[in-house]
Amino acid sequence: MARSVREQMVDSAVILLATRGLDGTSFSEVLGASGAPRGSIYHHFPGGKDELIAAAIEVAGERAVALLRSLEGRSPVEIVDGFFAMWRAVLERSRFSAGCSVLAVTVAGGSGDADGLLGAAGRVFRSWQSALAAVLAAGGVPAGAAEPFATLLIAASEGAVALSRAERSYEPFDAVHQVLREQARGFQGI
Amino acid sequence: MARSVREQMVDSAVILLATRGLDGTSFSEVLGASGAPRGSIYHHFPGGKDELIAAAIEVAGERAVALLRSLEGRSPVEIVDGFFAMWRAVLERSRFSAGCSVLAVTVAGGSGDADGLLGAAGRVFRSWQSALAAVLAAGGVPAGAAEPFATLLIAASEGAVALSRAERSYEPFDAVHQVLREQARGFQGI
DNA sequence: GTCTATACGAAGATAGAC
DNA sequence: GTCTATCTTCGTATAGAC
C-alpha cells in the first residue's frame, strides 16, 4: 500500500525542515520533493503551513521516541551510543547538510509571541526527555540522575549536530559523544 | 561618541537573529529596530544581506569570546557558572524568546551547498571552543580533557537554550547546567 | 550619506472550475 | 481530490536624484 499524498508531504516537510529550516520549507519545495499536486495542499492541511509543519515535527518526534524505546533493556553506555548513532546517521547521509527539524522550528521563532508551533516543538522535546529518562532508569541509572542526564543528552546532541554542520566536521559531534559516553560508564560502575 | 549607523544595524541584526531567525531578520525589521535610514543599507553593506548577517554573527562571536576570556584564572566550576550565566541572562531578558544568533544562521541552512554564512558560523563556533578550552586548561583541567569538555559545554548550552525556549521553562537549562557543573567539580578534585 | 521610487521574484492563501 | 488562476504581501536589490 502506497503512502498517502498527505504522508508524502509530511515526510518531505520533515526533510526540508532539517536541511533548509522553517522558511526554506515552502509549499513549492514540499510539492517538488513529494510529487504531490498543488491543488491538494489546503485539502490535506486546511490550517495551511502551520498545520503541515506541526504534523511534520510530530512525526519526527514520534520516530525518535520509537528509536529510544527500542533501546529499552540496554546499558547506559549502549543507550548513549544508540542515541548518538541516530544523529550521526543524519549527518552522514546528508553530508552535514541536515540537522534536527524540531530545532529548526524552535529557532526560527515565528512571530515572537505564544506561537503554536513553538508549543508543538516544546512538546516533542519533552516527549524525548521522558522516553530517554525512562530507558536510562530501566538501564540502571539512579532515579535522581536519569532525568537530568536525559536532558543533557538531548541538549548536547542537538548542539553537537549543529556544531558539526557549521564546521563541516565530525570532530565536535564525536567529542561530545565520547565525553557523554564516559559519563554513562560512570553509572555502570565498571 | 555615538555608535555609527552601521553598528546600530549590526546590533539590531544580532538581536533579530536570536529572536526571529535568519529569515525574520529582514531589512525592514533591521531598519525599524535600529532606526537606520533605508537608503543607507547598500552603502554600509555593499554585499547585501549576507554581509550584514556575517557581520552580526562575527560581532556576537567576539562578544562571547571576550566574556570567556574574562573568566581566565577562575576554577572550572566558576567558568561553567559564568558561561551558563551569560546564556541564562539571554533567556531571562527576552523571556524565552531569544537564543543564539549563530545557531539561528546554522540551522536556517542557506541554499544547502557551501554557503558563506555557514562557514562564518563555523568559524565563530571554533573560536568559542578554542577560547573556552584555553581558560579551562588555565583553570587546571587536564590537557586532554579541556578541548572535549569545552566542546561539550558549547554544544550543551546551545541545546539547553533551545530546549528552554521551546518549553518556556528554565528547567531543561538549569538541569543541564547542574550536571555539567558537577562534572567540572570532578576536575577540581574536591 | 541619505532619499524616493521601483523592479523583480517568491511567499502564503483563496476562489471557483473540473 | 485535484486543477488553474489570481490576490496580496513581503522579500532583496537597483537606479538615480538630492
Side-chain angles (χ1 to χ4, degrees):
Chain A
M1 171 181 154
R3 291 197 332 295
S4 71
V5 169
R6 193 194 139 99
E7 285 171 333
Q8 289 173 351
M9 292 179 72
V10 171
D11 283 352
S12 299
V14 172
I15 296 172
L16 283 164
L17 282 173
T19 52
R20 305 205 202 181
L22 180 57
D23 289 82
T25 308
S26 65
F27 283 139
S28 318
E29 299 280 349
V30 170
L31 296 175
S34 64
R38 173 145 223 123
S40 62
I41 295 179
Y42 288 89
H43 172 73
H44 293 296
F45 303 96
K49 181 166 179 173
D50 281 10
E51 189 176 341
L52 169 63
I53 302 298
I57 65 178
E58 273 153 29
V59 163
E62 286 163 10
R63 284 177 190 161
V65 167
L67 182 135
L68 289 172
R69 285 204 224 279
S70 78
L71 298 172
E72 178 111 35
R74 314 282 267 278
S75 71
V77 167
E78 288 171 328
I79 293 166
V80 169
D81 285 348
F83 184 59
F84 273 82
M86 172 188 76
W87 284 116
R88 202 179 206 275
V90 171
L91 291 174
E92 286 169 359
R93 283 198 290 254
S94 70
R95 273 176 300 183
F96 299 117
S97 67
C100 174
S101 55
V102 188
L103 181 67
V105 172
T106 300
V107 302
S111 44
D113 56 347
D115 189 27
L117 287 179
L118 194 62
R123 284 190 293 278
V124 172
F125 282 136
R126 279 197 200 275
S127 74
W128 291 355
Q129 288 170 255
S130 301
L132 186 50
V135 296
L136 285 170
V141 176
E147 289 260 5
F149 188 55
T151 304
L152 172 61
L153 281 174
I154 292 165
S157 61
E158 291 284 345
V161 168
L163 290 187
S164 279
R165 275 180 84 180
E167 302 182 20
R168 293 183 184 280
S169 160
Y170 292 115
E171 189 241 318
F173 182 85
D174 290 341
V176 168
H177 178 192
Q178 287 309 312
V179 176
L180 293 175
R181 189 192 150 92
E182 284 306 304
Q183 197 158 347
R185 252 169 51 95
F187 289 123
Q188 301 183 199
I190 295 176
Chain B
M1 171 180 153
R3 291 200 330 295
S4 70
V5 170
R6 192 195 140 99
E7 284 170 333
Q8 289 173 351
M9 293 180 70
V10 171
D11 282 352
S12 298
V14 171
I15 296 172
L16 283 163
L17 282 173
T19 52
R20 306 204 203 180
L22 179 57
D23 290 81
T25 308
S26 66
F27 282 138
S28 318
E29 298 280 349
V30 169
L31 295 175
S34 64
R38 174 147 221 120
S40 62
I41 294 178
Y42 288 89
H43 171 73
H44 294 297
F45 303 95
K49 182 168 180 174
D50 280 9
E51 188 175 342
L52 169 64
I53 302 299
I57 63 178
E58 272 153 28
V59 163
E62 287 163 10
R63 284 179 190 157
V65 167
L67 182 136
L68 289 173
R69 286 204 224 279
S70 78
L71 298 173
E72 177 109 37
R74 314 282 267 280
S75 72
V77 167
E78 289 171 328
I79 292 167
V80 169
D81 285 349
F83 184 58
F84 273 82
M86 173 188 77
W87 283 116
R88 203 179 206 276
V90 171
L91 291 174
E92 286 170 359
R93 284 199 290 256
S94 70
R95 273 177 299 185
F96 299 116
S97 66
C100 174
S101 55
V102 188
L103 181 67
V105 173
T106 300
V107 163
S111 44
D113 55 347
D115 190 25
L117 288 179
L118 193 63
R123 284 190 293 277
V124 172
F125 282 136
R126 279 196 199 274
S127 74
W128 291 355
Q129 288 170 256
S130 300
L132 186 49
V135 296
L136 285 170
V141 176
E147 289 261 4
F149 188 56
T151 302
L152 171 64
L153 281 173
I154 292 165
S157 62
E158 292 284 345
V161 168
L163 290 186
S164 278
R165 277 180 83 180
E167 301 183 21
R168 294 185 183 278
S169 160
Y170 292 115
E171 190 241 315
F173 182 85
D174 290 341
V176 168
H177 178 192
Q178 287 310 312
V179 176
L180 293 175
R181 189 191 150 92
E182 284 307 302
Q183 196 159 348
R185 252 169 49 96
F187 290 123
Q188 300 181 200
I190 294 175

mmCIF file with all atom_site columns, all heavy atoms in Angstrom, chain B residues 13 34 39 44 77 110 126 146-147:
data_model
loop_
_atom_site.group_PDB
_atom_site.id
_atom_site.type_symbol
_atom_site.label_atom_id
_atom_site.label_alt_id
_atom_site.label_comp_id
_atom_site.label_asym_id
_atom_site.label_entity_id
_atom_site.label_seq_id
_atom_site.pdbx_PDB_ins_code
_atom_site.Cartn_x
_atom_site.Cartn_y
_atom_site.Cartn_z
_atom_site.occupancy
_atom_site.B_iso_or_equiv
_atom_site.pdbx_formal_charge
_atom_site.auth_seq_id
_atom_site.auth_comp_id
_atom_site.auth_asym_id
_atom_site.auth_atom_id
_atom_site.pdbx_PDB_model_num
ATOM 1  N N   . ALA B 1 13  ? 20.625 43.470 14.028 1.00 0.00 ? 13  ALA B N   1
ATOM 2  C CA  . ALA B 1 13  ? 20.624 42.176 13.338 1.00 0.00 ? 13  ALA B CA  1
ATOM 3  C C   . ALA B 1 13  ? 20.941 41.053 14.314 1.00 0.00 ? 13  ALA B C   1
ATOM 4  O O   . ALA B 1 13  ? 20.340 39.971 14.247 1.00 0.00 ? 13  ALA B O   1
ATOM 5  C CB  . ALA B 1 13  ? 21.633 42.190 12.188 1.00 0.00 ? 13  ALA B CB  1
ATOM 6  N N   . SER B 1 34  ? 16.650 49.524 14.343 1.00 0.00 ? 34  SER B N   1
ATOM 7  C CA  . SER B 1 34  ? 17.865 50.315 14.543 1.00 0.00 ? 34  SER B CA  1
ATOM 8  C C   . SER B 1 34  ? 17.625 51.798 14.304 1.00 0.00 ? 34  SER B C   1
ATOM 9  O O   . SER B 1 34  ? 18.422 52.635 14.712 1.00 0.00 ? 34  SER B O   1
ATOM 10 C CB  . SER B 1 34  ? 18.968 49.820 13.596 1.00 0.00 ? 34  SER B CB  1
ATOM 11 O OG  . SER B 1 34  ? 18.582 50.039 12.248 1.00 0.00 ? 34  SER B OG  1
ATOM 12 N N   . GLY B 1 39  ? 17.961 54.260 2.963  1.00 0.00 ? 39  GLY B N   1
ATOM 13 C CA  . GLY B 1 39  ? 18.896 54.496 1.862  1.00 0.00 ? 39  GLY B CA  1
ATOM 14 C C   . GLY B 1 39  ? 20.328 54.122 2.163  1.00 0.00 ? 39  GLY B C   1
ATOM 15 O O   . GLY B 1 39  ? 21.193 54.181 1.298  1.00 0.00 ? 39  GLY B O   1
ATOM 16 N N   . HIS B 1 44  ? 26.393 50.862 3.512  1.00 0.00 ? 44  HIS B N   1
ATOM 17 C CA  . HIS B 1 44  ? 27.183 50.226 4.572  1.00 0.00 ? 44  HIS B CA  1
ATOM 18 C C   . HIS B 1 44  ? 27.459 48.758 4.291  1.00 0.00 ? 44  HIS B C   1
ATOM 19 O O   . HIS B 1 44  ? 28.453 48.214 4.762  1.00 0.00 ? 44  HIS B O   1
ATOM 20 C CB  . HIS B 1 44  ? 26.463 50.367 5.910  1.00 0.00 ? 44  HIS B CB  1
ATOM 21 C CG  . HIS B 1 44  ? 26.360 51.784 6.388  1.00 0.00 ? 44  HIS B CG  1
ATOM 22 N ND1 . HIS B 1 44  ? 27.464 52.543 6.694  1.00 0.00 ? 44  HIS B ND1 1
ATOM 23 C CD2 . HIS B 1 44  ? 25.290 52.579 6.608  1.00 0.00 ? 44  HIS B CD2 1
ATOM 24 C CE1 . HIS B 1 44  ? 27.069 53.743 7.094  1.00 0.00 ? 44  HIS B CE1 1
ATOM 25 N NE2 . HIS B 1 44  ? 25.757 53.789 7.040  1.00 0.00 ? 44  HIS B NE2 1
ATOM 26 N N   . VAL B 1 77  ? 34.633 25.135 37.865 1.00 0.00 ? 77  VAL B N   1
ATOM 27 C CA  . VAL B 1 77  ? 33.236 25.340 38.253 1.00 0.00 ? 77  VAL B CA  1
ATOM 28 C C   . VAL B 1 77  ? 32.818 26.786 38.009 1.00 0.00 ? 77  VAL B C   1
ATOM 29 O O   . VAL B 1 77  ? 31.715 27.055 37.500 1.00 0.00 ? 77  VAL B O   1
ATOM 30 C CB  . VAL B 1 77  ? 33.018 24.958 39.740 1.00 0.00 ? 77  VAL B CB  1
ATOM 31 C CG1 . VAL B 1 77  ? 31.670 25.478 40.225 1.00 0.00 ? 77  VAL B CG1 1
ATOM 32 C CG2 . VAL B 1 77  ? 33.095 23.451 39.921 1.00 0.00 ? 77  VAL B CG2 1
ATOM 33 N N   . GLY B 1 110 ? 20.639 28.176 4.626  1.00 0.00 ? 110 GLY B N   1
ATOM 34 C CA  . GLY B 1 110 ? 21.007 28.807 3.364  1.00 0.00 ? 110 GLY B CA  1
ATOM 35 C C   . GLY B 1 110 ? 20.527 28.011 2.176  1.00 0.00 ? 110 GLY B C   1
ATOM 36 O O   . GLY B 1 110 ? 19.435 27.466 2.183  1.00 0.00 ? 110 GLY B O   1
ATOM 37 N N   . ARG B 1 126 ? 34.137 27.628 16.350 1.00 0.00 ? 126 ARG B N   1
ATOM 38 C CA  . ARG B 1 126 ? 35.514 27.189 16.618 1.00 0.00 ? 126 ARG B CA  1
ATOM 39 C C   . ARG B 1 126 ? 36.224 28.159 17.553 1.00 0.00 ? 126 ARG B C   1
ATOM 40 O O   . ARG B 1 126 ? 36.994 27.753 18.424 1.00 0.00 ? 126 ARG B O   1
ATOM 41 C CB  . ARG B 1 126 ? 36.296 27.076 15.307 1.00 0.00 ? 126 ARG B CB  1
ATOM 42 C CG  . ARG B 1 126 ? 36.035 25.790 14.547 1.00 0.00 ? 126 ARG B CG  1
ATOM 43 C CD  . ARG B 1 126 ? 37.128 25.568 13.474 1.00 0.00 ? 126 ARG B CD  1
ATOM 44 N NE  . ARG B 1 126 ? 36.689 24.615 12.463 1.00 0.00 ? 126 ARG B NE  1
ATOM 45 C CZ  . ARG B 1 126 ? 36.807 23.295 12.579 1.00 0.00 ? 126 ARG B CZ  1
ATOM 46 N NH1 . ARG B 1 126 ? 37.333 22.793 13.674 1.00 0.00 ? 126 ARG B NH1 1
ATOM 47 N NH2 . ARG B 1 126 ? 36.399 22.496 11.607 1.00 0.00 ? 126 ARG B NH2 1
ATOM 48 N N   . ALA B 1 146 ? 40.426 19.250 28.359 1.00 0.00 ? 146 ALA B N   1
ATOM 49 C CA  . ALA B 1 146 ? 39.927 20.615 28.214 1.00 0.00 ? 146 ALA B CA  1
ATOM 50 C C   . ALA B 1 146 ? 39.187 20.821 26.891 1.00 0.00 ? 146 ALA B C   1
ATOM 51 O O   . ALA B 1 146 ? 38.079 21.382 26.866 1.00 0.00 ? 146 ALA B O   1
ATOM 52 C CB  . ALA B 1 146 ? 41.074 21.612 28.339 1.00 0.00 ? 146 ALA B CB  1
ATOM 53 N N   . GLU B 1 147 ? 39.754 20.354 25.816 1.00 0.00 ? 147 GLU B N   1
ATOM 54 C CA  . GLU B 1 147 ? 39.132 20.551 24.498 1.00 0.00 ? 147 GLU B CA  1
ATOM 55 C C   . GLU B 1 147 ? 37.781 19.848 24.387 1.00 0.00 ? 147 GLU B C   1
ATOM 56 O O   . GLU B 1 147 ? 36.784 20.495 24.042 1.00 0.00 ? 147 GLU B O   1
ATOM 57 C CB  . GLU B 1 147 ? 40.080 20.063 23.395 1.00 0.00 ? 147 GLU B CB  1
ATOM 58 C CG  . GLU B 1 147 ? 41.298 20.950 23.182 1.00 0.00 ? 147 GLU B CG  1
ATOM 59 C CD  . GLU B 1 147 ? 41.114 21.898 21.997 1.00 0.00 ? 147 GLU B CD  1
ATOM 60 O OE1 . GLU B 1 147 ? 40.010 21.893 21.408 1.00 0.00 ? 147 GLU B OE1 1
ATOM 61 O OE2 . GLU B 1 147 ? 42.062 22.644 21.684 1.00 0.00 ? 147 GLU B OE2 1
#
